[in-house]
Amino acid sequence: MGTSYEVIIIGGSYAGLSAAMALGRASRNVLVIDSGKPCNATTPHSHNFLTQDGETPAAISLKAKEQVLQYPTVLLKTGKAIKGEKLDNRFIITTEANEIYSSDKLLFTSGVTDVMPDIPGFSECWGKTVIHCPYCHGYEAKDLDTAVIANGDAAYHYSMLLPQWAKSLTLFTNGKANFTDEQLNKLRQKNIPVIETEIASLHQDNGQLKDVILNDGSKHQFQVAYHKPTQLQHSDIPEQLGCTINEYGILITDEMQKTNIYGIYAAGDCSALMRSVANAVASGNKAGALINMELCVESFNKVN
């Protein structure tokens, strides 16, 4: 069944490294498999994380790896896990390079893939001047005329949240608006325009948003826009193993970070709607401690 570990962690970004540190400090034999594609790869700076505010994501990750790998029972393997099986109460993981590993427990910290709208210029701006979270990036974009590329409840949520940061808001629904009468009335009261004309492209320069250009040829000047993309699990192994995924594309876990499959845990962006470095680190730390506790209980109750 390949090289054996007590815990395999799939995903070596903030949540995975945080869990690995907790488990390493418990002297657990841990393998972290990481493909090197973090969710915030395009983001120039990380914010709202104590002691690391304004640092680059890469610098935080590098420091985390240096600290975690000081624990001799933790191994970090660069590669992509592509297959998962459960055999005799153990988990078998196969990588793209056909390497096979097994473990007692499995933790997914594999993140999500953001599905970008089919708008030229959008992906170039993503994580820089087209952003999803004001807590992570809003302070740097405060007091600006702000676009929201969203419709329905998502657009309305931004409309309630963003006045704390934005000078003004304009909603671009990129097609027919989908609001209740009550929502439309409130948007009118708050002088928040709703533009239904479809978006042709975003005019940008090296990721810096300049204009929202519509299909009718009109240009609307903005330096920042908000959008919450559809997201998919970055790894399909949880689905292979029968883990439940909700309507938002998120792995369902209980308060103990456990999925519906015994022995499988999840932490970080793949299991949370609130996506931030701080939340990923916290949930990873919690998952590591709880996995260790489950291993302790199982060992203590084992019949000799």
Side-chain angles (χ1 to χ4, degrees):
M1 292 194 295
T3 308
S4 178
Y5 296 87
E6 290 178 286
V7 184
I8 291 177
I9 300 173
I10 298 179
S13 191
Y14 309 115
L17 293 172
S18 181
M21 177 174 280
L23 288 161
R25 291 184 60 79
S27 297
R28 293 296 182 184
N29 192 19
V30 179
L31 174 66
V32 182
I33 303 173
D34 183 54
S35 65
K37 296 180 179 179
C39 299
N40 64 348
T42 62
T43 303
H45 298 282
S46 175
H47 293 284
N48 205 24
F49 181 29
L50 280 174
T51 76
Q52 300 295 324
D53 189 48
E55 188 57 270
T56 66
I60 298 173
S61 181
L62 178 61
K63 187 173 184 178
K65 288 175 183 176
E66 290 174 348
Q67 293 182 349
V68 169
L69 293 178
Q70 290 181 33
Y71 295 94
T73 60
V74 178
L75 175 66
L76 175 63
K77 179 74 176 179
T78 300
K80 183 178 181 181
I82 60 171
K83 183 180 178 182
E85 302 171 271
K86 190 170 185 181
L87 181 64
D88 297 330
N89 294 318
R90 289 184 64 76
F91 298 100
I92 315 300
I93 299 298
T94 304
T95 70
E96 205 168 42
N98 205 34
E99 299 158 319
I100 299 174
Y101 306 102
S102 67
S103 64
D104 299 299
K105 305 296 177 186
L106 192 57
L107 171 62
F108 288 100
T109 55
S110 40
V112 291
T113 299
D114 293 316
V115 181
M116 305 295 169
D118 188 19
I119 298 172
F122 188 99
S123 60
E124 290 86 345
C125 295
W126 181 241
K128 299 173 183 175
T129 52
V130 176
I131 54 182
H132 79 287
C133 173
Y135 297 104
C136 297
H137 308 293
Y139 187 84
E140 287 66 40
K142 70 186 181 75
D143 300 329
L144 296 175
D145 293 321
T146 300
V148 173
I149 302 173
N151 205 345
D153 290 340
Y156 194 73
H157 175 77
Y158 275 132
S159 298
M160 293 187 288
L161 180 63
L162 292 179
Q164 181 65 23
W165 286 271
K167 178 182 178 182
S168 70
L169 290 178
T170 299
L171 305 187
F172 292 87
T173 58
N174 199 28
K176 184 173 176 56
N178 182 24
F179 297 105
T180 66
D181 290 341
E182 182 180 357
Q183 288 173 336
L184 281 172
N185 287 334
K186 181 61 71 173
L187 292 172
R188 293 189 190 102
Q189 290 173 20
K190 296 297 181 180
N191 296 314
I192 298 176
V194 177
I195 297 177
E196 296 180 294
T197 307
E198 291 186 1
I199 299 171
S201 64
L202 300 184
H203 173 216
Q204 52 85 33
D205 181 12
N206 196 30
Q208 300 302 304
L209 179 64
K210 304 294 184 182
D211 301 288
V212 178
I213 303 174
L214 304 182
N215 276 353
D216 61 9
S218 62
K219 293 184 178 181
H220 300 261
Q221 188 175 32
F222 290 97
Q223 294 173 275
V224 62
Y226 283 84
H227 175 78
K228 184 172 177 58
T230 302
Q231 53 196 25
L232 302 172
Q233 287 291 313
H234 193 227
S235 171
D236 64 359
I237 298 177
E239 194 171 3
Q240 293 176 26
L241 291 168
C243 296
T244 302
I245 299 171
N246 68 16
E247 66 270 27
Y248 302 108
I250 297 301
L251 282 170
I252 296 177
T253 62
D254 63 13
E255 69 279 2
M256 306 294 280
Q257 304 293 140
K258 295 181 179 182
T259 69
N260 59 301
I261 303 299
Y262 185 81
I264 301 182
Y265 290 70
D269 288 356
C270 68
S271 62
L273 287 175
M274 184 176 179
R275 295 171 58 183
S276 71
V277 175
N279 186 60
V281 170
S283 63
N285 177 264
K286 180 181 178 183
L290 293 170
I291 290 170
N292 178 67
M293 188 65 216
E294 188 165 88
L295 288 167
C296 288
V297 169
E298 290 174 351
S299 178
F300 189 81
N301 290 331
K302 187 179 294 183
V303 177
N304 293 327

